[in-house]
Amino acid sequence: MTYIQVTGGKKLHGDIEVQGSKNAVLPILAASVLHNGVTTIHHCPEISDVQCMIRILDSIGCKVKKEGSTVIVDATQLNNYRIPDEFVARMRSSIILLGPLLGRQHFVTISYPGGCTIGARPIDLHVKGLKRLNAEIIEANDLLTCMTTKLLGTEINLDFPSVGATENILLAAVLAEGTTIITNAAKEPEIDELCAFLTCMGAKIDGSGTGTIIVQGATSLHDCEYTVKADRIVTGTYMAAVAATGGKIILRGAVKEHIEEVIEVVNRMGCVTQASSEGITVIQKSRPNAYDLLRTRSYPGFPTDLQSPVMAALTIARGNSILIENIFEARYKVVKELVKMGANIEIDGKIAIIRGVSSLHGASVKAYELRGGAALVIAGMIAKETTDIHSIEYILRGYEDICRDLRMLGATVNYIEE
């Protein structure tokens, strides 16, 4: 069993290249099955979720080749309608294959997805949207069986701007007959990237990045080559890390336009940020300032995925901070682990009250989900003595090599084999 060991007390200095976006590359890999040919995707992060998606593609007949950070998918021999349960249980993002497989072969069976334990994430919006596109969906024995004689374009108004539902409907609409209009669509940068990739393959899409996406159904797509942009959540995690520890770091490849709200938050915590064509520089010269009220919201608001890393930084802030989690009700599982390390945090429903303390202390803690695991690494870097973080398989789902990155910035962070 491997765990992460962190010895705190060092400021961060240096520069690193930010990995490709996890939340963009997974739907892009899923989208590759829409084309009866070859797609080439550059800057894919070396994370377990990408490895899982590659194994799913391989299991349904695709030929997948990985060369460094480039993944080449040949989907000409796609021949399987069933997504293996072992992969679905491991990764919730597997549900994103419903739309493209319905579009390509009009039939798919998948079990209910797994992933991080951050609360209920119902897929009813996915199901409702696909039904509107003329799909029949049977739910029985923990399986979803989806079929159609022909997908038909229509207007779909989402009850909530769900990223996953927007992606699934968009992917199904690409090869549907006629025009599909998705209103109240998610606006996250990952949606914009998916639209850019699909357009590269020959899809006809208008309104990318807005609340209304219009898809003109195509009869076929073509080979394409695409480079994934930097991961905005990894960018924000490392920004929260330097806000907590102090120092100066350069995050090469980071896209300012993707994290405007995050930049505003860390600036209010005392950081100075500078953006350029090369990336983002973050400077923190003192203990972080408290944040009076921070709410997680759908993009372009503050992302729920960065709530835990920022909470870790705020544990040693000067004063009291309030966080309100509006997206996932179980995001606060990390709190009891932070309290073990000396944090003063009170939870009342969706509200977390963080009373800043002068320092944290090392402890043996456990990750319960991806971003909470990253938050514990940040807490370890500001704690006295040594922190051991267990159940790191969650962290490996989204961070290519968090220990390598933080060591390059001067932290003492290592994988330890038990």
Side-chain angles (χ1 to χ4, degrees), residues 50-60 84 86-87 90:
V50 167
Q51 294 166 359
C52 186
M53 183 63 83
I54 287 173
R55 293 181 69 186
I56 291 175
L57 295 179
D58 182 70
S59 74
I60 59 176
E86 61 177 302
F87 303 130
R90 197 178 307 163

Side-chain angles (χ1 to χ4, degrees), residues 4-319:
I4 291 176
Q5 188 171 84
V6 188
T7 302
K10 293 186 178 180
K11 294 184 178 182
L12 299 183
H13 291 278
D15 64 277
I16 56 170
E17 184 78 22
V18 180
Q19 69 186 59
S21 170
K22 165 188 179 288
N23 291 334
V25 76
L26 294 177
I28 285 172
L29 284 168
S32 68
V33 307
L34 283 166
H35 170 46
N36 184 18
V38 178
T39 51
T40 302
I41 307 157
H42 301 292
H43 200 214
C44 296
E46 186 66 42
I47 56 176
S48 61
D49 272 13
V50 167
Q51 294 166 359
C52 186
M53 183 63 83
I54 287 173
R55 293 181 69 186
I56 291 175
L57 295 179
D58 182 70
S59 74
I60 59 176
C62 298
K63 294 180 180 178
V64 185
K65 183 165 64 171
K66 193 171 184 303
E67 300 174 349
S69 64
T70 295
V71 175
I72 303 165
V73 181
D74 182 347
T76 55
Q77 302 300 317
L78 184 70
N79 59 11
N80 197 338
Y81 301 100
R82 175 69 187 268
I83 309 299
D85 293 350
E86 61 177 302
F87 303 130
V88 179
R90 197 178 307 163
M91 185 181 69
R92 184 174 180 85
S93 299
S94 54
I95 197 70
I96 207 65
L97 283 155
L98 281 183
L101 287 175
L102 265 176
R104 171 76 183 274
Q105 58 189 15
H106 295 171
F107 192 96
V108 58
T109 298
I110 189 171
S111 58
Y112 282 90
C116 281
T117 56
I118 55 173
R121 293 192 281 179
I123 59 171
D124 57 307
L125 295 181
H126 301 241
V127 171
K128 184 178 178 181
L130 295 174
K131 284 182 175 179
R132 289 276 297 154
L133 289 167
N134 196 41
E136 180 184 356
I137 301 180
I138 300 170
E139 302 178 58
N141 302 318
D142 291 327
L143 291 176
L144 289 175
T145 299
C146 311
M147 64 192 81
T148 184
T149 54
K150 180 193 297 183
L151 290 176
L152 299 173
T154 186
E155 185 165 346
I156 299 169
N157 180 56
L158 289 172
D159 298 331
F160 173 81
S162 160
V163 174
T166 300
E167 290 170 342
N168 242 334
I169 295 165
L170 172 63
L171 289 165
V174 166
L175 295 180
E177 184 178 296
T179 302
T180 300
I181 301 172
I182 309 169
T183 57
N184 199 27
K187 302 175 185 176
E188 272 75 356
E190 295 79 23
I191 302 290
D192 195 38
E193 278 218 69
L194 178 59
C195 289
F197 174 74
L198 291 168
T199 301
C200 176
M201 282 204 297
K204 301 170 185 177
I205 302 172
D206 293 310
S208 174
T210 74
T212 301
I213 300 174
I214 302 171
V215 185
Q216 303 286 345
T219 55
S220 63
L221 302 173
H222 54 69
D223 292 1
C224 84
E225 197 167 338
Y226 185 81
T227 301
V228 178
K229 293 180 181 177
D231 193 306
R232 65 189 176 100
I233 304 302
V234 172
T235 300
T237 298
Y238 296 158
M239 293 174 75
V242 75
T245 65
K248 176 181 178 180
I249 65 172
I250 301 172
L251 299 169
R252 301 199 180 278
V255 183
K256 173 180 178 289
E257 291 75 19
H258 289 180
I259 54 167
E260 298 277 9
E261 184 80 4
V262 180
I263 290 172
E264 182 180 333
V265 167
V266 297
N267 284 349
R268 285 179 58 180
M269 291 170 65
C271 293
V272 175
T273 56
Q274 302 165 347
S276 70
S277 59
E278 292 186 353
I280 299 174
T281 300
V282 189
I283 304 167
Q284 174 72 302
K285 294 184 177 180
S286 62
R287 186 177 164 191
N289 300 326
Y291 202 102
D292 52 358
L293 180 59
L294 178 59
R295 304 172 187 265
T296 62
R297 296 182 295 122
S298 298
Y299 189 85
F302 187 81
T304 179
D305 280 352
L306 287 174
Q307 179 255 99
S308 297
V310 166
M311 175 189 282
L314 290 173
T315 60
I316 59 161
R318 292 176 292 197

